[in-house]
Amino acid sequence: MNLNVRGGAGDITKADVNVKPQDNLYLAVNSEWLSKAKISPDRSSTGAFEQIDVELEKQLMSDFAEFASGKELPNVPNFAKSIELYKLAKDFDKRNADGAAPIKEDLDKLLALTDYKDFQAQLSDLYKAGYPLPLTLYVDANMKNTDIHSVYIGGTGTILPDTTTYESDRAKPLLEIYQKQAESLLKLAGVDEAKAAKLVELALAYDRRVSKVAKSSEEWADYPAMFNPVKTSEFAAKVKNLDFEKLLKDLFKEAPDEVINTEPRYHEHMDEMFNEEVYPEIQAWMIVKFVSGRAGYLSQAFREASFPFSQALTGQKELVSQEKHAYHLADGTFSEVDGVYYGQTYFGKEAKEDVISMIKKMLDVYEERIKNNSWLSQATKEKAITKLRALILKVGYPDKIEEKYYRYDIDPALSLYENMKSVSQVNIAYNLERLTKPVDRTIWLMPGNLINACYDPSRNDLTFPAAILQAPFYDLKQDPAENFGGIGVVIAHEISHAFDNNGAKFDEKGNMVNWWTDQDFAEFNKRTQQEIDLFDGIQYGPVKLNGKQVVSENIADQGGLTAAVEAAKGDKLDMKKLFENFARVWAIKQHPELIETVLSMDVHSPGPLRANVQSQCQEEFYKAFDVKPGDGMYLEPEKRVTIW
């Protein structure tokens, strides 16, 4: 075997039932599963996360069907609205009979825009109505004072998964598929063939302009870099062709004195992106984006016509069934409401208490590791522990449902499109209203029925939805070592985000404040670079990893596994079982198209590499499996990375 193999010996995406954990931990644990696993035709991957999701989907779809048929509804605020939307989405007889009629008035409004002057005059109305625009404007917590809100302004994204995709071999075939798809959708919407072709041509030309100035996924991965506060008058003065001060006055009762410029490069080029000469491209881009974005609310013909581009990006073989589509549309709209229903119905009190005790144990382990850290000064250690102890825990599902769901009005007399349009406009108005209101720190970023977890740097809180708190991540009945290798790592991973390359720049209140000494932060940056180098260039299926793009998640993985190992070691648990379950939770099988798409834009490394590379950096892994030089999993000590 070769020495210094990052990710273990062999092709980690292909099963090898004869491989040993010393050569490839992930394949040794998962190869039997990989050799038998089948990807459902209406999905693009399968794995530990997906298998839980499939069962959750089956359960909730069954529940939704029963409630839609008249079963008594649970006492969950706004849940009746979710079921009403589900019924509307499932009524394909009406959707098919309506065809393109529901969007005709709104499409005609876009087609009737006469020139750039007309576009500018209607800009605020277009924004409030929810039309696609080549700029982003929203209200969120101020990153340096998270008690108040600010207005954030930036550009727009590209049609292809990332700006870098335009320079890849995938660009031409993907854009050709998108072009044909967009033309088909426009024709279904009632636009004649010649005009449809011209509009799509112009829209793609504008998207190419966007790709040259928009941020890449790697750039967006540097979360604090989006915080560039500037006086509104200064921001507006640098854009001659858009009246930003008027736009803000139209959108808010009182225009803010300051805005946050999330994309300085886009701002610098705004006059090139917005002008009379380019206007035909802007209008075409808006029309194509509008019809493409609303296809899922219309007939089956629209759904089928909008599938090829998604299929090319993911490798998914079949469109999801109408019933699944209806469930996902309702659940996506009423996510928090449905999550509360799921949590109240399926999440046990005993499991919640046990998970909270594990979180507290991980926090204790983390505190000890910080206290005993060899490269931090005492001053920085004290600040880090203060932040650690200020973390707010959100486990299972929220105690209250956010106000916006009470504002949604689902009217069965209207079309699905009209109802979704109403929801969108409520969301826009609700977001704009936040500017003059204090930040609500009780809001959850994830619903209870999502198989995931997160850390929010601006609130300094941890969220563990009920849905992830099940096997293989967690089970009261499975070996404690397996729980540490599953949910234990997930818990410590999210804690570690408070101290990754982004989270490290925020204090215990979620404010972007430097609480490090210069010397400590220089050492942290050195170790961050080592984490970048550790993953950069690793081959995974058809592509290579970008270490800088995935560094924040890799830092969290490193800290998460280290803390879980430390906690399990203290309880004298079986380390083999811990590492085996750590590898098991990352089991995944994906279509090659999805791998290419995800790796171009995701800030996470592929699961199999997360399992192997982080294990390669753990001394306990070498002891548990007697890994020696010459084994595929052996990584020389000086190559191993330790941050937390």
Side-chain angles (χ1 to χ4, degrees):
M1 294 290 176
N2 294 327
L3 300 186
N4 308 322
V5 177
R6 294 168 301 158
D11 183 346
I12 204 167
T13 64
K14 294 179 181 175
D16 181 353
V17 292
N18 298 313
V19 76
K20 299 182 298 180
Q22 293 93 331
D23 289 327
N24 194 308
L25 173 67
Y26 172 81
L27 288 181
V29 171
N30 295 307
S31 280
E32 186 177 348
W33 173 85
L34 277 168
S35 65
K36 297 174 182 176
K38 305 288 183 189
I39 300 173
S40 173
D42 65 356
R43 288 179 177 253
S44 51
S45 64
T46 187
F49 284 84
E50 288 83 354
Q51 286 176 329
I52 297 174
D53 189 52
V54 165
E55 293 307 310
L56 184 149
E57 181 184 70
K58 281 181 189 173
Q59 182 65 66
L60 289 184
M61 281 180 64
S62 173
D63 292 355
F64 271 51
E66 288 182 4
F67 290 129
S69 298
K71 181 181 176 182
E72 186 179 350
L73 291 163
N75 186 26
V76 176
N78 302 297
F79 188 65
K81 297 178 187 176
S82 184
I83 299 302
E84 197 61 55
L85 185 62
Y86 166 75
K87 285 155 63 174
L88 273 169
K90 206 168 74 158
D91 187 357
F92 272 89
D93 288 342
K94 183 178 189 313
R95 289 173 65 170
N96 292 338
D98 285 346
I103 65 167
K104 185 177 188 310
E105 184 180 340
D106 289 332
L107 177 57
D108 286 348
K109 183 169 183 175
L110 290 178
L111 288 164
L113 288 170
T114 54
D115 54 23
Y116 187 67
K117 185 178 179 182
D118 190 18
F119 166 74
Q120 280 206 89
Q122 297 194 50
L123 187 57
S124 61
D125 289 335
L126 291 167
Y127 175 86
K128 287 185 281 189
Y131 287 104
L133 293 169
L135 62 87
T136 305
L137 186 151
Y138 61 94
V139 175
D140 206 347
N142 182 291
M143 289 164 69
K144 286 214 167 179
N145 180 3
T146 54
D147 290 331
I148 64 170
H149 287 105
S150 290
V151 176
Y152 289 73
I153 300 177
T156 186
T158 54
I159 288 168
L160 294 181
D162 187 51
T163 57
T164 57
T165 314
Y166 279 88
E167 311 311 318
S168 73
D169 293 339
R170 299 184 83 198
K172 189 173 183 290
L174 283 174
L175 288 171
E176 285 174 354
I177 292 168
Y178 185 88
Q179 182 173 0
K180 289 177 185 174
Q181 173 178 300
E183 288 177 13
S184 296
L185 288 168
L186 289 181
K187 285 185 280 186
L188 274 175
V191 180
D192 72 66
E193 187 169 350
K195 185 164 187 176
K198 185 61 178 176
L199 285 170
V200 175
E201 180 188 338
L202 290 168
L204 289 172
Y206 193 72
D207 190 68
R208 184 68 187 183
R209 290 181 192 273
V210 172
S211 74
K212 293 175 181 175
V213 294
K215 278 188 177 182
S216 66
S217 296
E218 179 187 314
E219 290 173 304
W220 280 118
D222 184 357
Y223 173 71
M226 69 185 285
F227 188 75
N228 303 286
V230 59
K231 290 290 181 187
T232 302
S233 56
E234 292 177 22
F235 184 91
K238 289 185 179 178
V239 185
K240 308 297 183 190
N241 297 333
L242 269 182
D243 191 342
F244 268 104
E245 289 186 294
K246 179 183 182 302
L247 175 63
L248 293 171
K249 284 174 185 173
D250 288 346
L251 295 179
F252 301 99
K253 290 178 181 177
E254 188 175 334
D257 295 330
E258 179 184 85
V259 296
I260 312 303
N261 181 6
T262 64
E263 292 190 79
R265 184 170 63 240
Y266 201 94
H267 181 222
E268 288 168 12
H269 291 274
M270 269 189 179
D271 277 337
E272 300 164 32
M273 304 298 296
F274 294 88
N275 59 61
E276 184 68 51
E277 185 182 347
V278 175
Y279 172 69
E281 293 180 7
I282 297 173
Q283 184 187 28
W285 181 92
M286 291 171 64
I287 290 166
V288 169
K289 283 277 191 174
F290 171 76
V291 176
S292 299
R294 277 58 176 179
Y297 308 148
L298 301 171
S299 65
Q300 179 67 9
F302 271 96
R303 284 189 68 221
E304 291 172 0
S306 66
F307 183 53
F309 187 62
S310 171
Q311 187 174 40
L313 289 173
T314 65
Q316 185 177 319
K317 305 303 180 191
E318 294 177 5
L319 196 60
V320 297
S321 69
Q322 293 178 350
E323 190 171 358
K324 274 189 187 179
H325 156 79
Y327 159 71
H328 285 296
L329 194 149
D331 183 56
T333 306
F334 286 91
S335 56
E336 183 165 278
V337 174
D338 296 349
V340 169
Y341 163 73
Y342 173 83
Q344 289 183 357
T345 308
Y346 299 107
F347 186 47
K349 184 180 177 184
E350 186 182 2
K352 181 173 182 176
E353 289 173 353
D354 191 47
V355 169
I356 288 174
S357 72
M358 283 186 74
I359 295 171
K360 290 178 177 176
K361 185 179 187 97
M362 287 301 176
L363 290 170
D364 289 340
V365 168
Y366 238 93
E367 183 168 342
E368 283 305 306
R369 288 193 65 79
I370 290 171
K371 284 178 180 175
N372 298 325
N373 184 288
S374 62
W375 55 271
L376 286 177
S377 66
Q378 189 59 33
T380 304
K381 286 181 182 181
E382 288 172 5
K383 289 282 189 182
I385 291 170
T386 297
K387 180 174 184 178
L388 185 76
R389 286 302 169 190
L391 278 164
I392 296 166
L393 307 184
K394 296 177 177 178
V395 180
Y397 55 93
D399 296 325
K400 68 171 186 176
I401 289 170
E402 193 177 351
E403 182 194 341
K404 67 179 181 180
Y405 295 100
Y406 291 87
R407 299 188 187 183
Y408 294 171
D409 181 22
I410 305 302
D411 186 347
L414 299 176
S415 69
L416 175 63
Y417 167 73
E418 288 170 302
N419 278 282
M420 293 306 295
K421 174 184 172 182
S422 171
V423 166
S424 172
Q425 290 175 356
V426 167
N427 286 336
I428 291 165
Y430 180 78
N431 179 257
L432 294 177
E433 283 175 23
R434 292 165 68 179
L435 183 59
T436 54
K437 295 180 179 179
V439 172
D440 184 354
R441 294 177 180 269
T442 67
I443 289 175
W444 284 46
L445 295 186
M446 290 182 169
N449 59 338
L450 185 68
I451 302 141
N452 211 330
C454 69
Y455 168 74
D456 180 1
S458 291
R459 288 182 172 86
N460 197 34
D461 67 16
L462 303 169
T463 302
F464 300 100
I468 198 173
L469 304 174
Q470 53 187 301
F473 297 94
Y474 170 80
D475 192 329
L476 275 168
K477 298 172 186 173
Q478 72 184 11
D479 191 293
E482 292 176 309
N483 280 340
F484 274 109
I487 198 63
V489 174
V490 172
I491 290 166
H493 168 102
E494 299 307 338
I495 295 171
S496 298
H497 271 310
F499 308 102
D500 70 18
N501 59 306
N502 291 325
K505 295 171 184 174
F506 295 80
D507 68 10
E508 72 275 10
K509 293 179 181 176
N511 295 320
M512 198 160 74
V513 173
N514 181 14
W515 46 271
W516 298 68
T517 66
D518 290 345
Q519 185 176 347
D520 287 350
F521 204 65
E523 177 63 24
F524 174 72
N525 285 334
K526 175 184 165 188
R527 289 167 183 258
T528 295
Q529 186 59 50
Q530 291 171 349
E531 192 73 45
I532 291 171
D533 295 341
L534 183 66
F535 280 82
D536 195 52
I538 298 180
Q539 189 77 33
Y540 183 75
V543 289
K544 290 185 177 180
L545 265 66
N546 176 344
K548 196 171 180 182
Q549 183 175 309
V550 296
V551 66
S552 64
E553 293 295 335
N554 287 337
I555 291 172
D557 280 343
Q558 186 278 322
L561 182 57
T562 302
V565 166
E566 189 84 4
K569 194 164 65 171
D571 287 353
K572 296 182 170 54
L573 299 178
D574 186 334
M575 284 297 166
K576 277 190 177 181
K577 288 185 177 179
L578 184 151
F579 284 106
E580 285 168 353
N581 203 44
F582 177 59
R584 192 172 294 117
V585 301
W586 294 119
I588 192 165
K589 192 171 191 176
Q590 300 165 293
H591 291 311
E593 297 93 334
L594 182 68
I595 292 175
E596 288 194 73
T597 297
V598 168
L599 262 67
S600 71
M601 57 194 292
D602 198 359
V603 293
H604 300 81
S605 295
L609 292 176
R610 297 172 79 170
N612 274 8
V613 181
Q614 298 298 352
S615 296
Q616 286 180 294
C617 294
Q618 297 288 330
E619 184 60 33
E620 291 301 319
F621 169 72
Y622 292 85
K623 292 178 183 176
F625 292 96
D626 193 27
V627 179
K628 292 184 167 58
D631 291 335
M633 285 291 290
Y634 184 84
L635 193 63
E636 291 183 344
E638 64 270 20
K639 303 262 186 191
R640 301 170 198 170
V641 178
T642 303
I643 302 178
W644 299 116

